[in-house]
Amino acid sequence: MSGTSPRVTLYSRPGCHLCDDARVVVEAVCAELGESFTEVSIDDDPELTRRFGEEIPVTFVDGRQHDFWRVDATRLRVALAR
């Protein structure tokens, strides 16, 4: 694993099918590149719910917003290669 903290954060909510799809892509790309990720439920934080609302899933790479709704494996690989 690189570094001490995950480079990818997936903001999601339970029961979200797009979140489930995004998780599969994030897990696969992170495993392939030896990276880790963390998943945060926006339902646990009113500020995150307000901020992201219906745009979930939202992925962040190195603290910056990367994608929302769908995760493109190629774009994620490129972002993690930086």
Side-chain angles (χ1 to χ4, degrees):
M1 297 288 167
S2 72
T4 55
S5 61
R7 293 183 60 200
V8 179
T9 303
L10 174 63
Y11 292 95
S12 64
R13 71 172 13 133
C16 163
H17 72 279
L18 290 178
C19 300
D20 295 341
D21 294 346
R23 184 180 312 107
V24 169
V25 175
V26 169
E27 282 178 344
V29 172
C30 285
E32 172 188 320
L33 299 178
E35 296 288 349
S36 60
F37 78 99
T38 187
E39 186 168 355
V40 177
S41 171
I42 68 167
D43 287 351
D44 296 336
D45 185 327
E47 175 58 23
L48 291 176
T49 302
R50 184 195 65 72
R51 184 173 171 192
F52 298 126
E54 299 304 313
E55 289 188 348
I56 57 158
V58 178
T59 51
F60 275 65
V61 175
D62 296 328
R64 295 178 49 210
Q65 187 167 338
H66 173 70
D67 257 334
F68 66 96
W69 289 335
R70 300 204 184 274
V71 179
D72 180 271
T74 301
R75 275 178 37 89
L76 184 56
R77 277 188 204 96
V78 169
L80 288 168
R82 293 188 182 129

